[in-house]
Amino acid sequence: MAKVLYEEATRVYPGTERPAVDALDLDISDGEFLVLVGPSGCGKSTSLRMLAGLERVDGGRITIGERDVTHLPPRDRDIAMVFQNYALYPHMSVADNMGFALRVMKAPKQERDRRVRDAARLLDLEEYLDRRPKELSGGQRQRVAMGRAIVREPQVFLMDEPLSNLDAKLRVQTRTQIAALQRRLGVTTVYVTHDQVEAMTMGDRVAVLKDGLLQQVDTPLRLYQHPANVFVAGFIGSPSMNLAEFRVEGEEAVLGGTRIRLSRETLEALRKEGGDRLVLGFRPEAVDVIAETDADAEHRTFPVTVTVVEELGSDAFLYGQYADAAHPALLDQTVIARVDPNAPPAKGDRVRLRIAQGKERLFSAVTGRRLPP
Amino acid sequence: MSTSMTPPSSAHQRTTADQAVRGNGRAVTAAPPGVPQSPLEASSKRSRWTVAILLAVAMLWTLIPLVWMLLSSFKNRSDVTAATPQVLFAPTLDNYRNLFSGPNNLGPYIWHSVLAAGISALLALFLGALAGYGLARTRMRGKKHLAFWIISTRMAPIAAIVVPLFLIFRGLGLIDSIPGLVLAYLTFNLPFAIWLMSAFFAEVPPSLEESALVAGCTRWQAFRTVILPLTKSGLVTTFVLCLVFAWNDYAFAVVFSGPNSQTLPIAASQLVTQTGIDWGQLTAIGTIVVVPMMLAGLAVRRWLVTGLTLGAVTGE
Ligand SMILES: Nc1ncnc2c1ncn2[C@@H]1O[C@H](COP(=O)(O)OP(=O)(O)OP(=O)(O)O)[C@@H](O)[C@H]1O
Ligand SMILES: [Mg+2]
């Protein structure tokens, strides 16, 4: 077990201009479950493969434990990797697949058998040890791939979207199992996914990447509550945060008839930046549905026409359109709000939403970075 | 590997066909008697008949000359040349006996053929596998062009390269030697082997060897323990095709070989003399040339079939 350190690690693929991973700085502590998340093509797999030694590091350093592994071949890094397609060896039995690394290391046969059997018991694979990978279901193959990593007893687990080939239900089940297993084994783990729900539910910390650049790395809760920029705000959370550009007028942010008071710190930051606009975001659960007649009591409200209501049982979400005829330019804005699942509004209803006090998140319209609240 | 050059993978068609055949011994279950057939079934039945007849014609077309050759090799002189073809005759081994006796004993010819074809096919396989693997895995630009250039060297007619090769071989003292023949066959077989093997390697997902590398293998170990076993059918296919090419060769052998290296096809040609053709012995040599290759083909039939359709690799 070991900590993992990326220091300005950079990868530029030959023939491309922009780095696929650009000066990545990540400090992963011993035993931590770190999730790399981001949209397709943001450099998650490349970052992971750099740690595995499957991709060259063109700049910066990577260390595992105290060892600088930047230029070591994969086999000298003491890691185990689970691939998206599992990469099970089709010509070997499940047992041979799981014991492969030990056989390469020339571990004594007895020990190899014992470790394979232990892992198989842990993963409920005992009855399949003699089968070939193609005789297994998708979920079983996934477990064999996990087993192959566990048997290794490595310093670090690397996993690249190991659940993406499973159906939705199995994915949810397996992600809890993997997280529990990791906690039990205590092996430092770097896990790649493009699914932010997976990231939030599994990771001790989550690193958000975009265009090869690290956007933010933090615990799931802090990422959710205090996104560092507009991208993270919009990417983390499902349904996603409502984001809209507001004008700054005096001490208020204004959009149509909605007015929100800004703090002195925010105004100060805006003044330094010289902008008269900002991006305001609020989560679907950060709004209250209020009676239409309360309209004038508060400025933090706006009218919405309900277009879709998603009822999930425990939750209900309203998808609506900004509905203030006095401001036709805004009519295309879609708003998502969580509403009382026991008394959801109906499609076509007109409701008024109020952004709860202190729940708005403010970002610079110029840089996208968070503004002081 | 360029898609335009790679034979299309038909892994799926193949496995479903396999299953259909294995399922009940018949590709399609016929309707039980008495059940009225839909027009669709009737037409599929008709097309099956058409296929069967075409196959039968093709089979006769290839088999009759072979069978005739086999039969003739066991006939005595008068039976062979009889005006009315003899199907029933008293078989004799004279032709074979004559081939292996006297000053022009066939033994050395066979030995030369075995050496030249065997060694050149093995070398082509070994080098072709290594180069084909590199070609399949390299990320370099212009790789399609490189692949095409390699296979294009095989497209020239043999006649075009025989003269320059002859000059080179004479300079190197390779005329009338087994190594000379081996090299000559390699000029044709190696590009073919590289190209074919790289198509097989390209079918193996790179994550398999990456997984082996992470598990502690060197590149060579990953190649040996993971990649090669998965391309077994490709290796067999490549080897057999290279072997057959070299074994059957006449054009190179007639130019480059002499008393120390003459091969079976040369021996056959020497039976065609000005004083006449000994049909009995000629068909006996023909049989000796053809039968080993047919047996080899039969022995590796399973690999050849999967090999020629590619996609036999991942089993998924
Ligand atoms: N071998 C390669 N050569 C050139 N560019 C590459 C190569 N592999 C990846 N890239 C580029 O590098 C960037 C990052 O790719 P990467 O595979 O790391 O993305 P990812 O975040 O894993 O995406 P996904 O979620 O789709 O798997 C992409 O823009 C991709 O096009
Ligand atoms: Mg990826």
Side-chain angles (χ1 to χ4, degrees):
Chain A
M1 266 129 280
K3 53 184 270 135
V4 171
L5 198 59
Y6 287 82
E7 290 172 278
E8 310 217 332
T10 301
R11 171 65 175 150
V12 187
Y13 282 108
T16 60
E17 295 285 311
R18 229 168 31 78
V21 174
D22 196 352
L24 176 64
D25 274 312
L26 259 184
D27 186 345
I28 305 163
S29 38
D30 191 357
E32 182 172 1
F33 196 120
L34 183 105
V35 178
L36 287 174
V37 72
S40 183
C42 69
K44 309 177 293 284
S45 298
T46 307
S47 308
L48 195 73
R49 291 166 57 83
M50 286 160 79
L51 177 56
L54 297 171
E55 212 61 73
R56 236 183 67 181
V57 180
D58 295 311
R61 278 162 26 104
I62 297 179
T63 48
I64 298 176
E66 299 306 315
R67 277 193 320 150
D68 183 339
V69 299
T70 314
H71 300 294
L72 289 185
R75 80 191 128 97
D76 294 332
R77 299 192 179 203
D78 199 5
I79 49 173
M81 184 155 173
V82 179
F83 291 80
Q84 181 169 5
N85 64 356
Y86 313 141
L88 301 179
Y89 311 124
H91 58 302
M92 296 182 195
S93 68
V94 168
D96 287 347
N97 262 285
M98 287 171 56
F100 183 77
L102 296 181
R103 210 176 71 211
V104 174
M105 281 189 256
K106 303 211 160 59
K109 179 154 174 25
Q110 269 184 355
E111 158 153 25
R112 198 166 84 211
D113 288 347
R114 184 182 55 77
R115 273 157 76 171
V116 167
R117 243 180 299 114
D118 288 352
R121 193 170 321 122
L122 197 62
L123 292 163
D124 218 4
L125 284 169
E126 280 167 300
E127 42 184 318
Y128 308 114
L129 282 175
D130 293 327
R131 293 214 197 156
R132 291 290 170 92
K134 71 171 166 204
E135 297 160 354
L136 300 177
S137 73
Q140 290 160 347
R141 285 182 208 181
Q142 202 282 331
R143 297 214 297 280
V144 175
M146 288 295 301
R148 199 164 62 174
I150 293 173
V151 166
R152 186 75 210 272
E153 296 179 8
Q155 300 267 334
V156 189
F157 284 142
L158 312 185
M159 306 188 191
D160 193 348
E161 312 216 12
L163 303 183
S164 58
N165 286 337
L166 302 181
D167 66 54
K169 195 163 176 193
L170 198 54
R171 202 178 314 158
V172 172
Q173 224 173 349
T174 314
R175 86 179 176 221
T176 359
Q177 283 166 0
I178 291 183
L181 193 64
Q182 192 272 342
R183 247 125 253 178
R184 182 155 146 205
L185 300 171
V187 177
T188 315
T189 301
V190 185
Y191 184 103
V192 163
T193 178
H194 64 263
D195 177 352
Q196 54 91 21
V197 178
E198 224 169 276
M200 299 294 277
T201 50
M202 296 178 85
D204 292 325
R205 283 190 309 154
V206 176
V208 183
L209 287 171
K210 181 194 170 218
D211 296 337
L213 290 164
L214 181 63
Q215 305 290 309
Q216 184 175 7
V217 47
D218 222 324
T219 62
L221 193 62
R222 286 194 51 82
L223 219 50
Y224 188 79
Q225 293 184 332
H226 304 285
N229 58 38
V230 173
F231 175 77
V232 176
F235 187 76
I236 297 292
S238 170
S240 55
M241 188 187 259
N242 299 291
L243 291 162
E245 198 169 279
F246 280 57
R247 241 173 331 108
V248 180
E249 280 179 11
E251 299 189 342
E252 292 179 320
V254 180
L255 184 73
T258 314
R259 295 174 164 270
I260 291 170
R261 254 198 120 63
L262 298 173
S263 74
R264 203 129 41 84
E265 289 79 4
T266 311
L267 290 165
E268 180 64 17
L270 278 170
R271 200 181 50 73
K272 270 196 205 131
E273 190 180 275
D276 63 343
R277 292 176 169 274
L278 56 74
V279 175
L280 186 143
F282 56 93
R283 297 260 173 222
E285 68 271 22
V287 294
D288 303 311
V289 182
I290 59 172
E292 183 69 41
T293 46
D294 287 354
D296 292 349
E298 291 247 18
H299 287 310
R300 303 172 64 87
T301 68
F302 52 93
V304 160
T305 311
V306 179
T307 49
V308 175
V309 178
E310 233 176 50
E311 292 185 74
L312 306 173
S314 62
D315 274 322
F317 289 97
L318 162 169
Y319 293 73
Q321 217 104 55
Y322 194 91
D324 190 345
H327 303 281
L330 299 174
L331 293 181
D332 284 346
Q333 292 271 350
T334 304
V335 179
I336 310 173
R338 191 172 74 188
V339 294
D340 182 359
N342 299 314
K347 191 175 153 183
D349 279 3
R350 205 179 133 113
V351 298
R352 185 160 276 272
L353 300 178
R354 178 174 57 200
I355 303 169
Q357 198 67 45
K359 291 295 171 109
E360 70 274 13
R361 296 287 172 258
L362 307 173
F363 305 95
S364 156
V366 183
T367 61
R369 286 210 204 95
R370 183 173 57 211
L371 294 169
Chain B
M1 176 97 335
S2 105
T3 42
S4 57
M5 291 157 45
T6 314
S9 152
S10 54
H12 280 291
Q13 298 156 17
R14 186 181 48 73
T15 44
T16 42
D18 272 358
Q19 283 155 2
V21 170
R22 239 181 277 129
N24 52 12
R26 283 173 297 181
V28 184
T29 4
V35 176
Q37 287 182 344
S38 72
L40 202 71
E41 277 173 279
S43 88
S44 94
K45 199 165 180 184
R46 197 159 46 234
S47 76
R48 248 183 308 140
W49 271 106
T50 322
V51 169
I53 291 171
L54 284 177
L55 279 179
V57 170
M59 205 171 72
L60 289 179
W61 181 264
T62 45
L63 278 187
I64 286 183
L66 284 178
V67 171
W68 192 248
M69 177 176 80
L70 189 70
L71 291 179
S72 301
S73 72
F74 293 106
K75 290 177 182 172
N76 61 34
R77 189 168 297 246
S78 60
D79 282 338
V80 168
T81 49
T84 41
Q86 304 284 310
V87 179
L88 295 173
F89 57 92
T92 164
L93 282 176
D94 279 355
N95 292 323
Y96 291 92
R97 222 171 279 131
N98 291 340
L99 278 178
F100 287 97
S101 62
N104 244 349
N105 186 346
L106 197 64
Y109 292 89
I110 294 181
W111 181 233
H112 297 155
S113 267
V114 168
L115 278 183
I119 295 175
S120 77
L122 278 177
L123 272 178
L125 182 66
F126 178 71
L127 298 175
L130 292 184
Y133 180 61
L135 190 62
R137 286 297 187 255
T138 180
R139 291 183 190 171
M140 97 188 165
R141 267 180 291 171
K143 142 177 167 174
K144 284 183 185 179
H145 302 292
L146 179 66
F148 184 74
W149 172 71
I150 289 175
I151 191 62
S152 73
T153 60
R154 210 206 131 122
M155 293 175 183
I158 293 183
I161 65 165
V162 156
V163 173
L165 260 190
F166 184 82
L167 295 177
I168 296 172
F169 278 18
R170 199 176 52 187
L172 295 174
L174 287 170
I175 301 294
D176 187 19
S177 71
I178 297 294
L181 278 183
V182 167
L183 264 185
Y185 295 153
L186 272 181
T187 60
F188 259 55
N189 273 340
L190 189 52
F192 176 67
I194 294 174
W195 180 75
L196 194 57
M197 281 315 298
S198 95
F200 278 98
F201 290 129
E203 290 265 308
V204 182
S207 59
L208 283 183
E209 72 218 51
E210 288 174 350
S211 169
L213 291 179
V214 170
C217 289
T218 59
R219 270 224 162 255
W220 176 252
Q221 279 177 316
F223 183 64
R224 269 272 305 107
T225 56
V226 174
I227 306 301
L228 278 189
L230 290 175
T231 43
K232 221 182 276 172
S233 60
L235 293 170
V236 171
T237 308
T238 306
F239 178 76
V240 169
L241 293 179
C242 288
L243 185 72
V244 167
F245 169 81
W247 181 264
N248 290 344
D249 164 74
Y250 176 74
F252 281 123
V254 79
V255 177
F256 296 134
S257 66
N260 299 316
S261 57
Q262 277 165 338
T263 55
L264 276 174
I266 301 295
S269 75
Q270 286 167 350
L271 289 173
V272 184
T273 61
Q274 267 150 2
T275 51
I277 300 174
D278 186 332
W279 285 108
Q281 288 194 29
L282 194 58
T283 51
I285 290 192
T287 307
I288 292 173
V289 171
V290 167
V291 165
M293 291 301 110
M294 283 180 80
L295 291 181
L298 278 180
V300 299
R301 189 176 69 228
R302 186 164 72 95
W303 302 109
L304 269 181
V305 173
T306 53
L308 289 171
T309 54
L310 280 178
V313 172
T314 50
E316 305 210 354

